[in-house]
Amino acid sequence: QQPVQSPQAVILREGEDAVINCSSSKALYSVHWYRQKHGEAPVFLMILLKGGEQKGHDKISASFNEKKQQSSLYLTASQLSYSGTYFCGTENTGNQFYFGTGTSLTVIP
Amino acid sequence: KAGVTQTPRYLIKTRGQQVTLSCSPISGHRSVSWYQQTPGQGLQFLFEYFSETQRNKGNFPGRFSGRQFSNSRSEMNVSTLELGDSALYLCASSPTTTGTVPYEQYFGPGTRLTVT
């Protein structure tokens, strides 16, 4: 029931774009995205609700495909500060909440 | 506003002992969740409390328990510690929920538990 994220790790140069995917085997009600920098606690980025619109936060946005039970996080024109591990959290229609396996993102100059 | 605080920050215990971890949420937040984070398993949900009631529980054995007080502060207890319980335990508070799942969780710095 833990959602699967892909890729597991990605290395980018500053200014490049990246997409992180989150896939669940169960029908979803909401998807939450968090970023955790090394040695720090996870920080909330955004939440997408069933039937809701694509969300955006500066140059980071996300979409939620309810039919495919998937969400994607889009990072455009990446900055060094984007480095960290990104987690999706999924709430399924059984009111269960699970964090994904995590995607390590490294942005290099 | 002060953030989520967790005490102690580091703890070393021996197998078979029990441990209690404490979490003080952000003022006004009524939802408190606990997570176990390990390199191999990632972030695993333990349980969530809202207004002193446990609303959700993850797939952990009964050795893991928690409670929430009337001031929203929460404690987590692990009895009969095993080596595999070594992990970072994170507490998160939330001002609201999507129903029964906390929305926009604010995490504390965590308690690093080492079991020897």
Side-chain angles (χ1 to χ4, degrees):
Chain A
Q1 293 176 348
Q2 181 181 31
V4 176
Q5 290 182 231
S6 63
Q8 284 189 318
V10 58
I11 299 175
L12 300 172
R13 291 200 177 274
E14 267 187 298
E16 291 183 337
D17 301 339
V19 180
I20 298 172
N21 300 302
C22 174
S23 182
S24 173
S25 60
K26 290 208 163 190
L28 300 177
Y29 179 76
S30 67
V31 180
H32 311 214
W33 285 97
Y34 288 80
R35 176 174 62 208
Q36 183 175 29
K37 299 197 175 186
H38 184 68
E40 299 180 9
V43 172
F44 174 79
L45 293 175
M46 65 188 78
I47 182 173
L48 300 100
L49 302 177
K50 185 178 178 181
E53 297 177 354
Q54 181 165 334
K55 286 284 188 75
H57 175 69
D58 195 14
K59 291 180 181 176
I60 300 175
S61 62
S63 64
F64 178 19
N65 186 323
E66 299 160 34
K67 289 184 179 178
K68 292 188 176 180
Q69 297 153 200
Q70 291 176 347
S71 177
S72 294
L73 186 72
Y74 306 95
L75 300 100
T76 57
S78 57
Q79 306 166 17
L80 295 175
S81 62
Y82 285 4
S83 292
T85 301
Y86 289 78
F87 292 97
C88 67
T90 57
E91 175 193 10
N92 60 39
T93 50
N95 297 128
Q96 296 169 310
F97 183 74
Y98 295 94
F99 273 109
T101 48
T103 295
S104 173
L105 180 84
T106 304
V107 180
I108 57 176
Chain B
K1 267 187 180 178
V4 177
T5 58
Q6 292 187 244
T7 56
R9 292 294 309 278
Y10 302 91
L11 206 50
I12 299 175
K13 288 285 188 179
T14 304
R15 265 185 307 176
Q17 288 186 315
Q18 75 162 20
V19 67
T20 299
L21 311 181
S22 182
C23 171
S24 291
I26 292 173
S27 177
H29 288 193
R30 294 162 65 189
S31 168
V32 175
S33 299
W34 288 89
Y35 296 88
Q36 181 194 67
Q37 186 171 34
T38 58
Q41 299 295 321
L43 272 166
Q44 302 282 312
F45 171 71
L46 281 155
F47 28 66
E48 187 247 351
Y49 287 88
F50 184 85
S51 294
E52 301 179 68
T53 300
Q54 186 183 91
R55 293 199 302 182
N56 281 309
K57 191 176 190 304
N59 297 322
F60 278 82
R63 301 186 295 109
F64 292 81
S65 63
R67 58 178 175 168
Q68 185 181 35
F69 302 96
S70 58
N71 60 0
S72 292
R73 190 176 70 83
S74 178
E75 285 183 348
M76 189 193 105
N77 184 274
V78 188
S79 62
T80 319
L81 285 166
E82 301 176 358
L83 294 178
D85 296 334
S86 293
L88 179 67
Y89 289 88
L90 291 162
C91 163
S93 74
S94 174
T96 185
T97 67
T98 61
T100 57
V101 169
Y103 167 105
E104 191 172 352
Q105 299 183 72
Y106 293 81
F107 284 82
T111 294
R112 173 75 61 185
L113 172 65
T114 302
V115 182
T116 61

